[in-house]
Amino acid sequence: DEGEGGWRLLLDGKPARTPGRNPLAFPTKALAEAVAAEWNGVGETIDPRRMPITRIANSIIDGVVPNPEPVAEDIVKYAGSDLLCYRADSPAGLVERQAAAWDPVLAWAQEALGARFILSEGVMHVVQPERTIAAIRAAIPFHDGWRVGATHVLTTLMGSALLALAVLHGRLTAEAAWTAAHVDEDYQTEHWGADEEAAERRTARETEMRAAATVLASL
């Protein structure tokens, strides 16, 4: 239902609320429908694990929309030590895969955002230029709590602000960004085999990633 605060989720005709007692309301009908679909799919028992879009929406409404700036600044902080800037020096196969997956995103950041990143081999920390960090900050919609919140979820799940921003700005699909974020892990799995518990954790994180991407796509 469209009402105060946007499109509201109704349960038995009454507006639903977040854990913080705020109206569970959305800026677009598409996003409201995505959340409603989760509620329609739970049956008689509410299982939050099966409602990732709702969980993210609750977090954004209660914790981001009132004050998006600290969350946006955390995305900027990730960019200061972004996954894509730390490269393996061997084996050659991994080096090539990282370059193939990550170099196009870095080139896009430089061309589209004006952010030129310095790369490093191994885990030696490299300080990025102030101009680069300023360009990343300018690429984040600081006053849009919904976009900031969903982008932050993508950033933390992938360990890369650049990949999250590439999704936000339409440079990458969520699936492509997720694959790029796991170049190292996939290479190790191919050569040493999969760990069942790690695979389960990755599946759970991917579910969250897709939910955050749905939020962005629905805004």
Side-chain angles (χ1 to χ4, degrees):
D1 176 44
E2 188 173 18
E4 183 179 355
W7 291 88
R8 303 175 300 174
L9 181 72
L10 302 181
L11 301 178
D12 296 329
K14 298 179 180 180
R17 293 189 175 273
T18 67
R21 305 307 298 162
N22 291 302
L24 192 54
F26 311 92
T28 68
K29 185 178 181 181
L31 182 53
E33 288 177 339
V35 172
E38 282 191 337
W39 282 83
N40 286 332
V42 298
E44 296 182 0
T45 303
I46 296 177
D47 184 356
R49 293 172 300 179
R50 296 176 55 193
M51 306 168 74
I53 304 175
T54 302
R55 290 201 310 273
I56 291 172
N58 284 334
S59 296
I60 291 174
I61 293 169
D62 289 343
V64 184
V65 169
N67 187 17
E69 184 172 348
V71 182
E73 285 292 354
D74 198 50
I75 299 172
V76 177
K77 183 178 179 181
Y78 266 87
S81 56
D82 204 272
L83 168 71
L84 275 57
C85 297
Y86 293 86
R87 304 300 180 90
D89 56 6
S90 64
L94 177 57
V95 172
E96 292 171 359
R97 288 196 188 186
Q98 288 179 342
W102 298 350
D103 285 359
V105 180
L106 289 164
W108 164 79
Q110 183 171 351
E111 296 168 7
L113 307 181
R116 180 181 179 274
F117 283 83
I118 300 172
L119 306 187
S120 174
E121 287 188 349
V123 295
M124 183 67 70
H125 179 66
V126 58
V127 177
Q128 300 298 338
E130 291 183 7
R131 184 183 305 174
T132 295
I133 299 304
I136 291 299
R137 183 175 283 109
I140 300 171
F142 263 65
H143 300 294
D144 187 333
W146 281 96
R147 285 184 170 83
V148 166
T151 302
H152 187 265
V153 173
L154 292 177
T155 299
T156 57
L157 288 172
M158 297 189 291
S160 171
L162 282 170
L163 290 175
L165 289 174
V167 175
L168 171 66
H169 288 276
R171 173 59 180 80
L172 289 178
T173 64
E175 290 74 16
W178 186 251
T179 298
H182 292 83
V183 168
D184 292 10
E185 183 177 317
D186 289 341
Y187 184 86
Q188 296 298 330
T189 298
E190 290 175 14
H191 287 78
W192 303 106
D195 177 270
E196 185 175 344
E197 290 186 6
E200 291 178 357
R201 289 194 297 270
R202 176 166 168 173
T203 297
R205 294 199 312 273
E206 184 173 4
T207 298
E208 293 293 312
M209 179 278 298
R210 291 181 181 277
T214 297
V215 172
L216 281 181
S218 302
L219 293 173

